[in-house]
């Protein structure tokens, strides 16, 4: 753009830019070139959208002021949310549930987005105490559902869980989405009547632990060399048919 009057040189004019809105950072105005043209640079503010009024104010050496305003529309764009925590606070369903500590939030700052949290890979027989079951092992949650969230399952459950937490931001006006995922692993303790394969020469503390959990040990004999030194357990001992025989 160019600012001029009939008397003052281009370089003698003072030009400033101001904004009314939150979607643009402070504008920058360059010095005039040989023909008096200046460059106005506008940068969108991170995680914001909306309408911004930009006002250019020119002042000559005598103090006369002239202004011109125009409007800039910053289109909304979904911003990837953050998942800061995804932890299981337990290793078994002995009490019927395992508490989940999941924290997710929007980075959007103009209030144009909503947040949904999904937990996937939940197997049959396990559920959540909050949220909506979408089927296929996927549950949908609101931010309010995260407080007091827990997995529910039978006390006999002994399979580790490899869950995925996905936070999804959605622009209200356009429906555009962005997402962030984080793994949530739940390592399960040995449950009563579980079959546990163990080295026949294991430390006695391991045997005590198996006894305390109520698991059923299956002892696998290790190899021994000509000096009587105990070696590894042959791979053949780990075959299902070998374990069943014992």
């Amino acid at each position: 753009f160019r600012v001029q009057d009939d008397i003052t040189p281009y370089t003698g004019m003072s030009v400033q830019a101001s904004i009314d809105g939150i979607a643009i950072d402070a504008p920058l105005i360059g010095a005039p070139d040989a023909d008096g043209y200046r460059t106005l640079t506008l940068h969108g503010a991170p995680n914001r959208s909306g309408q911004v009024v930009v006002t250019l104010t020119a002042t000559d050496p005598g103090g006369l002021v002239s202004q011109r305003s125009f409007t800039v529309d910053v289109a909304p764009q979904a911003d990837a949310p953050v998942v800061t925590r995804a932890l299981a606070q337990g290793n078994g369903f002995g009490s019927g549930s395992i508490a989940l500590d999941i924290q997710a939030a929007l980075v959007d700052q103009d209030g144009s987005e909503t947040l949904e949290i999904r937990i996937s890979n939940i197997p049959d027989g396990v559920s959540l105490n909050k949220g909506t079951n979408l089927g296929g092992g996927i549950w949908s949650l609101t931010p309010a559902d995260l407080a007091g969230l827990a997995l529910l399952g039978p006390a006999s459950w002994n399979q580790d869980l490899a869950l995925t937490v996905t936070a999804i931001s959605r622009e209200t006006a356009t429906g555009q989405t962005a997402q962030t995922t984080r793994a949530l692993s739940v390592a399960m303790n040995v449950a009563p009547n579980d079959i546990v394969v163990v080295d026949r020469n294991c430390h006695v503390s391991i045997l005590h632990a198996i006894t305390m959990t109520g698991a059923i040990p299956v002892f696998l004999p290790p190899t021994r060399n000509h000096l009587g030194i105990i070696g590894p357990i042959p791979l053949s001992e780990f075959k299902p048919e070998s374990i069943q025989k014992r």
Side-chain angles (χ1 to χ4, degrees), residues 50-113:
Q51 195 172 80
V52 179
V53 177
V54 180
T55 300
L56 301 176
T57 302
T59 307
D60 70 8
L64 294 177
V65 176
S66 179
Q67 289 185 326
R68 177 168 292 185
S69 299
F70 61 93
T71 300
V72 176
D73 287 314
V74 180
Q77 184 174 5
D79 304 298
V82 294
V83 181
T84 55
R85 289 177 68 86
L87 299 172
Q89 298 180 322
N91 299 95
F93 290 118
S95 62
S97 65
I98 298 175
L100 298 179
D101 182 5
I102 297 175
Q103 298 179 18
L106 294 170
V107 298
D108 170 66
Q109 298 182 31
D110 58 18
S112 64
E113 295 179 7

Side-chain angles (χ1 to χ4, degrees), residues 52-243:
V52 179
V53 177
V54 180
T55 300
L56 301 176
T57 302
T59 307
D60 70 8
L64 294 177
V65 176
S66 179
Q67 289 185 326
R68 177 168 292 185
S69 299
F70 61 93
T71 300
V72 176
D73 287 314
V74 180
Q77 184 174 5
D79 304 298
V82 294
V83 181
T84 55
R85 289 177 68 86
L87 299 172
Q89 298 180 322
N91 299 95
F93 290 118
S95 62
S97 65
I98 298 175
L100 298 179
D101 182 5
I102 297 175
Q103 298 179 18
L106 294 170
V107 298
D108 170 66
Q109 298 182 31
D110 58 18
S112 64
E113 295 179 7
T114 59
L115 179 64
E116 176 191 8
I117 302 94
R118 293 188 179 185
I119 303 179
S120 56
N121 300 330
I122 297 178
D124 293 340
V126 177
S127 61
L128 294 175
N129 65 333
K130 297 183 180 182
T132 302
N133 186 356
L134 301 180
I138 302 173
W139 286 66
S140 174
L141 305 154
T142 66
D145 290 331
L146 298 182
L149 183 64
L151 284 167
L152 305 178
S156 59
W157 188 274
N158 59 7
Q159 298 178 26
D160 292 347
L161 303 177
L163 310 180
T164 299
V165 177
T166 303
I168 304 170
S169 61
R170 181 174 286 102
E171 278 289 345
T172 303
T174 65
Q176 184 189 36
T177 62
Q179 64 183 42
T180 300
T181 61
R182 186 161 177 170
L184 172 55
S185 299
V186 185
M188 307 299 290
N189 288 332
V190 175
N193 298 318
D194 282 351
I195 302 296
V196 178
V197 293
V198 61
D199 189 323
R200 187 177 62 187
N201 295 289
C202 67
H203 193 273
V204 67
S205 61
I206 297 177
L207 295 179
H208 289 167
I210 294 174
T211 301
M212 292 173 65
T213 59
I216 302 172
V218 174
F219 298 103
L220 304 183
T223 57
R224 213 180 263 273
N225 65 15
H226 66 285
L227 298 176
I229 299 176
I230 297 175
I233 298 172
L235 287 176
S236 59
E237 294 291 336
F238 291 94
K239 294 181 178 180
E241 55 268 26
S242 296
I243 295 175

